[in-house]
Amino acid sequence: MTQSQHLRRNFIDGQWDPAESGLTRENTNPADVSDRIGEFAESGGVDVDRAVDAATAALPGWRGLGPVRRAEFLARAGTLLTERAEEFAAVITREQGKLLAEARGEVARARAVLDFTAGQARLLGGVTAPAEDERTFAYTFRRPIGVVGLVSPWNFPLAIPMWKAAPALLSGCTAVLKPSPLTPLTAALLVEVFQQAGVPDGVLNLVQGDVAAGEALVANPAVAGISFTGSLAVGTAIQTVGADRLLRTQLELGGKNAVVVCDDADLDRAVDAVVHGAFGQAGQRCSATSRAVVDVRVREEFLERLVPRVAGLRVGPGDDPASQVCPVVNTVRRDAALSAIAGAQRDGGKVLCGGGPEERADLPQGCYVQPTVIRDVPWNSELAQEEVFGPVLAVVHADGFDDAIRIANSVKYGMSATVFTASQSRAFEAVERFEAGMLHVNRPGVGAYAHLPHTGAKASQYGPPECSPQVWDFYTAWHSACIAY
């Protein structure tokens, strides 16, 4: 069995096995759809139940090791990840589509998350407390919640599974990872790294597949918690299905993020940030800049600087050093982006650049969308309110600071928000008034440090954050003890 063959299978209780049904799903390169990466397991309830049973059996031994011992496995996994960094980056680019530089950045982010998590091992404790009775010792401690299901998306196929798996394992939970069917190989490589690091059989299991596998994982009564990153619709469904048994959930959902450009902003810095936030990774980030809310007093000057920059971006395969914007992940996302552009035009928006598929003669047949800027987008129109997840920027005008904050907060989501201003007072006021989880001033509105909460507000987030000490409030439960002596 070659490496590529075993990585196309599920990993359950230390073994790489095909789906019980024998069904598979084809995975192709979005930059060149003729490039077939392979056929990966298409799993169902039987496979999920096997994985959950394996995780349940492994739980007592793994929990008994304690966090310091468990951190040793994470440290070894970090070393292996660094040694295989270029392999990971190449696979991410091939199956997800992002630029190789972006893929390398994702590998570095995954390593940072792993290092941070391992470093929490000696901090994962409780406190002693005064007792009200004589000769009594009172204290608190954390205990892992049990078996957890980790459901990850395709846009960060390494970093997001890592920031779920690493804290799950350090906390003493055992886990079943169900990645997106669009990026199965990256997830398999990640699980292989933990296997090579010596993580015991059954502690981290991998089940490939789509809806059937995800539904079975959520429905299994032995699963104590689900950490999910994806759409609002699916997150709501998970919450609804799990409500009857009080399933613990951590849901990171959509975003419709705004960069507010005030009339005193440094326009060059603002343009740099908007180009990076809107068109990096072809706009396929939960924190992507999808709206530029620009004060009417500087709108024309802002557009004069922005549009030539965007129009000059070169779209192409992620492994081409000349490419500046990668393809979107598949034809579904391409068509959704093109449909959103057409809808914006019907609502009165004017396309200033882009607006269609990228179809140059030198491009292979892939899922390419031109970086698109649309002006005069009504603040309450579909493009200004709903997530696109593609390289499409809506420019909405605002009449002053208060109006800009109102528009930024007008959506149901609240993942990230950014303001560009020279006024310290406005900067702090914006941070106070933005209805979002991750806030930025005079810098790009994407990304956060590994030790800060990756979180949203409103419909963008339910449950504890990820990527921070606050993540333990999902993977562990608090207990208190009073001991008389």
Side-chain angles (χ1 to χ4, degrees):
M1 183 185 298
T2 67
Q3 182 189 56
S4 61
Q5 287 174 324
H6 82 259
L7 291 173
R8 298 174 191 178
R9 302 181 172 205
N10 294 326
F11 184 71
I12 299 174
D13 202 16
Q15 300 295 318
W16 295 93
D17 295 322
E20 184 73 20
S21 66
L23 296 176
T24 59
R25 173 189 291 261
E26 185 177 68
N27 186 25
T28 60
N29 182 346
D32 181 356
V33 295
S34 68
D35 177 19
R36 296 176 64 256
I37 297 169
E39 300 280 344
F40 289 79
E42 182 65 22
S43 305
V46 173
D47 307 292
V48 169
D49 291 347
R50 282 187 57 225
V52 173
D53 288 346
T56 301
L59 181 62
W62 184 246
R63 182 172 58 194
L65 288 179
V68 176
R69 290 276 309 279
R70 293 192 291 263
E72 295 172 2
F73 293 93
L74 271 61
R76 287 197 290 270
T79 299
L80 292 167
L81 177 63
T82 298
E83 291 172 354
R84 300 177 64 178
E86 281 301 300
E87 178 189 4
F88 270 95
V91 167
I92 291 169
T93 291
R94 187 181 178 202
E95 72 171 355
Q96 196 277 336
K98 67 181 64 176
L99 303 180
L100 189 57
E102 294 171 335
R104 287 172 176 150
E106 181 174 352
V107 176
R109 176 71 184 277
R111 177 63 198 263
V113 168
L114 190 54
D115 289 347
F116 167 77
T117 305
Q120 289 281 296
R122 287 175 169 81
L123 303 175
L124 197 58
V127 298
T128 57
E132 297 181 7
D133 303 302
E134 294 182 357
R135 298 179 62 83
T136 301
F137 181 60
Y139 67 101
T140 66
F141 62 96
R142 293 180 181 268
R143 182 178 290 163
I145 63 172
V147 177
V148 291
L150 313 176
V151 184
S152 61
W154 48 262
N155 59 329
F156 287 93
L158 174 63
I160 293 180
M162 180 66 84
W163 75 50
K164 296 180 187 297
L169 298 191
L170 187 75
S171 72
C173 293
T174 54
V176 178
L177 171 63
K178 200 230 59 90
S180 167
L182 300 181
T183 52
L185 182 54
T186 305
L189 286 171
L190 170 62
V191 170
E192 184 180 57
V193 160
F194 279 108
Q195 179 194 24
Q196 292 173 345
V199 171
D201 295 349
V203 170
L204 179 60
N205 305 275
L206 171 71
V207 177
Q208 304 281 13
D210 201 358
V211 176
E215 289 179 343
L217 188 58
V218 173
N220 191 299
V223 174
I226 293 287
S227 179
F228 168 80
T229 301
S231 72
L232 174 59
V234 175
T236 302
I238 291 171
Q239 188 68 20
T240 301
V241 169
D244 285 348
R245 60 185 181 90
L246 301 180
L247 177 71
R248 183 176 291 205
T249 55
Q250 179 186 55
L251 309 174
E252 193 228 292
L253 308 172
K256 190 64 182 176
N257 311 294
V259 168
V260 169
V261 181
C262 296
D263 58 0
D264 62 345
D266 182 327
L267 294 185
D268 287 331
R269 288 182 70 183
V271 166
D272 287 344
V274 169
V275 170
H276 174 70
F279 305 108
Q281 204 172 304
Q284 299 173 116
R285 296 182 280 205
C286 62
S287 58
T289 301
S290 56
R291 295 177 296 156
V293 181
V294 186
D295 191 292
V296 292
R297 296 159 188 81
V298 294
R299 178 185 56 190
E300 300 308 318
E301 186 178 356
F302 174 80
L303 289 172
E304 287 173 3
R305 302 184 190 201
L306 174 71
V307 174
R309 286 277 305 277
V310 178
L313 294 173
R314 181 175 177 83
V315 179
D319 59 0
D320 182 350
S323 298
Q324 296 170 293
V325 177
C326 66
V328 294
V329 74
N330 62 8
T331 56
V332 174
R333 298 312 323 151
R334 180 196 64 196
D335 294 346
L338 298 177
S339 176
I341 293 167
Q345 291 175 295
R346 290 192 296 271
D347 289 336
K350 180 181 177 183
V351 174
L352 298 182
C353 62
E358 185 72 37
E359 296 176 327
R360 298 195 316 271
D362 64 319
L363 282 179
Q365 184 179 355
C367 306
Y368 300 100
V369 177
Q370 296 170 341
T372 301
V373 176
I374 307 177
R375 68 171 294 166
D376 301 332
V377 176
W379 69 268
N380 57 353
S381 65
E382 184 173 2
L383 183 65
Q385 294 287 312
E386 297 297 334
E387 192 171 38
V388 176
F389 236 56
V392 182
L393 175 70
V395 179
V396 184
H397 75 260
D399 187 8
F401 178 72
D402 287 337
D403 192 38
I405 297 295
R406 176 191 66 81
I407 293 169
N409 290 338
S410 68
V411 299
K412 61 188 173 187
Y413 298 110
M415 184 60 68
S416 83
T418 305
V419 64
F420 276 84
T421 179
S423 165
Q424 186 180 69
S425 175
R426 277 182 174 176
F428 279 98
E429 185 175 353
V431 167
E432 179 66 26
R433 292 172 62 184
F434 276 144
E435 296 170 358
M438 295 180 288
L439 309 173
H440 304 267
V441 176
N442 294 331
R443 67 187 303 275
V446 292
Y449 303 130
H451 56 284
L452 292 181
H454 191 285
T455 189
K458 300 195 287 189
S460 290
Q461 180 83 30
Y462 184 85
E466 300 187 269
C467 295
S468 65
Q470 288 73 33
V471 75
W472 308 121
D473 289 335
F474 173 72
Y475 292 104
T476 67
W478 279 109
H479 297 265
S480 63
C482 296
I483 303 173
Y485 57 92

